[in-house]
């Protein structure tokens, strides 16, 4: 059954609609003279989204195999895929499971390590909805095992999850204030989800619902939007590197656990909420304080490359984005090796692009390396040798130019920071 299984394509075909809505939000911001977007932050957000989709190709199998096994051997009921009531129940059940998965992702350090990337952005717009983890999918499936036991078909389970994800896209906006009393009472709305992304102390760990806000009302985690929200994480990432954003919190946890005294404390590092620290010497265990913040005084991480670097990185990012989307549309036609090679190259490309935006001294060098590897990849996929040779010469020239430009930009940034 699993070998011939084709997952629902809802999210893939929703992507063009996502970008249409992003364009509309940009126009609303221009009309209202409000800055909803920063180019550097949006490229960083979309970079993590691309990596999430590509890395996810190699993670979803384990969770899906487990779901199939439990469904086939232990299901209590069996629902038809054409039964509308079954779909309603599955969507409700999926959202209930999501509430607890999402809540624990904020209350347990190990799960937070896979979710924190979604909260790194210091902006709040529709692009932030696409900022997703590339590693969290390894563990999140365990929360949805009850749906297999009840008897929801794997296609229905995946379809409900994709519909949940598609719904959550629109709530990541400042362009919509309220949607009316009934909607605000039952549904997760932009107002409720702005609270969820805020780092104001009163807003921390609130409003976890995906489609419905009723779970938060039932289990005591609801908070209405009152004071203006400040976005990001309590400890700012201050980096646009999409790979670092994925692994940094895991690294911090293992480092903290290594230095913690006693086996119990080493384990508790992973199980306690974010901000907890173990006892050390005469210092008892406790939580780091959550500082007060103000939208007026909050300083965002905002590196500003020169015009040439900005144009170059934006053009290449758009190319990588479109190439990744096309690849995902036809991913089943590629071998696992081809998928892995393409994913590695895209990952290197996104690291390089964001490094150049940030003015990293090594950004130009990595750019040259990934350009050469990129045309090597095209050769692997069957590009003719003449076009292959011309492409290498052209991109080496582009890389050399950019390296010089990037070095100059890095020196300028250093002078600005002195």
């Amino acid at each position: 059954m699993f070998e011939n299984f084709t997952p629902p394509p809802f999210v893939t075909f929703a992507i063009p609609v996502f970008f249409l809505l992003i364009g509309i939000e940009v126009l609303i911001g221009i009309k209202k003279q409000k800055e909803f977007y920063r180019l550097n932050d949006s490229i960083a957000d979309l970079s993590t989204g691309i990596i999430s989709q590509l890395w996810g190709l190699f993670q979803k199998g384990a969770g899906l195999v487990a779901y199939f096994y439990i469904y086939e051997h232990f299901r209590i009921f069996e629902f038809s895929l054409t039964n509308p009531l079954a779909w309603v129940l599955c969507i409700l059940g999926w959202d209930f499971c999501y509430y607890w998965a999402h809540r624990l992702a904020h209350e347990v350090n190990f799960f937070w390590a896979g979710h924190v990337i979604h909260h790194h952005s210091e902006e709040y717009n529709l692009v932030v909805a696409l900022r997703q983890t590339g590693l969290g999918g390894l563990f999140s499936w365990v929360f949805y095992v009850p749906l297999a036991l009840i008897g929801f078909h794997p296609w229905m389970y995946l379809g409900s999850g994709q519909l949940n994800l598609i719904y959550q896209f629109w709530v990541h906006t400042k362009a919509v204030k309220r949607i009316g009393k009934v909607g605000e009472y039952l549904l997760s709305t932009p107002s409720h989800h702005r609270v969820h992304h805020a780092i104001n102390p009163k807003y921390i760990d609130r409003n976890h619902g995906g489609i419905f806000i009723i779970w938060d009302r039932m289990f005591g985690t609801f908070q209405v939007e009152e004071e203006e929200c400040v976005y990001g994480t309590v400890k700012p990432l201050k980096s646009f590197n999409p790979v670092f954003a994925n692994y940094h919190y895991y690294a911090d946890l293992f480092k903290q656990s290594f230095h913690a005294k006693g086996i119990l404390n080493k384990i508790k590092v992973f199980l306690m909420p974010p901000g907890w620290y173990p006892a050390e010497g005469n210092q008892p265990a406790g939580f780091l304080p959550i500082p007060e913040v103000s939208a007026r005084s909050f300083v965002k991480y905002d590196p500003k490359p020169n015009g040439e670097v900005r144009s170059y990185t934006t053009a290449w990012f758009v190319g990588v984005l479109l190439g990744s989307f096309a690849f995902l549309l036809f991913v089943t036609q590629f071998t696992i090796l081809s998928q892995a090679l393409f994913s590695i190259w895209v990952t290197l490309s996104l690291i390089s692009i964001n490094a150049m935006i940030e003015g990293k001294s090594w950004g130009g060098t990595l750019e040259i390396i990934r350009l050469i590897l990129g045309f090597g990849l095209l050769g692997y996929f069957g590009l003719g040798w003449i076009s292959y040779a011309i492409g290498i010469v052209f991109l080496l020239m582009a890389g050399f130019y950019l390296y010089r430009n990037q070095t100059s930009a890095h020196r300028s940034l250093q002078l600005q920071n002195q």
Side-chain angles (χ1 to χ4, degrees), residues 211-223:
I211 295 177
F212 302 101
I213 202 66
I214 53 176
W215 317 122
D216 290 282
R217 295 184 184 277
M218 289 170 61
F219 299 111
T221 53
F222 176 73
Q223 170 63 49

Side-chain angles (χ1 to χ4, degrees), residues 95-117:
D95 200 64
F96 180 75
C97 294
Y98 174 83
Y99 168 81
W100 287 106
H102 194 187
R103 178 172 174 173
L104 290 177
H106 281 257
E107 296 179 353
V108 177
N109 254 330
F110 183 73
F111 293 128
W112 175 243
H115 181 63
V116 63
I117 189 171

Side-chain angles (χ1 to χ4, degrees), residues 259-262 265 277-285:
H259 291 289
K261 305 298 182 182
N265 278 330
Y277 56 86
E280 185 175 354
N282 296 325
Q283 179 70 32

Side-chain angles (χ1 to χ4, degrees), residues 169-209:
F169 176 79
W170 86 278
V171 302
H172 291 82
T173 183
K174 292 190 287 187
V176 177
K177 299 303 180 185
R178 299 285 196 280
I179 66 168
K181 290 184 178 180
V182 175
E184 293 290 330
Y185 187 83
L186 295 176
L187 300 174
S188 176
T189 66
S191 176
H192 299 330
H193 207 64
R194 285 193 291 269
V195 167
H196 178 73
H197 274 258
I199 57 174
N200 312 54
K202 69 188 298 183
Y203 292 158
I204 295 291
D205 298 340
R206 292 291 182 267
N207 299 358
H208 303 294

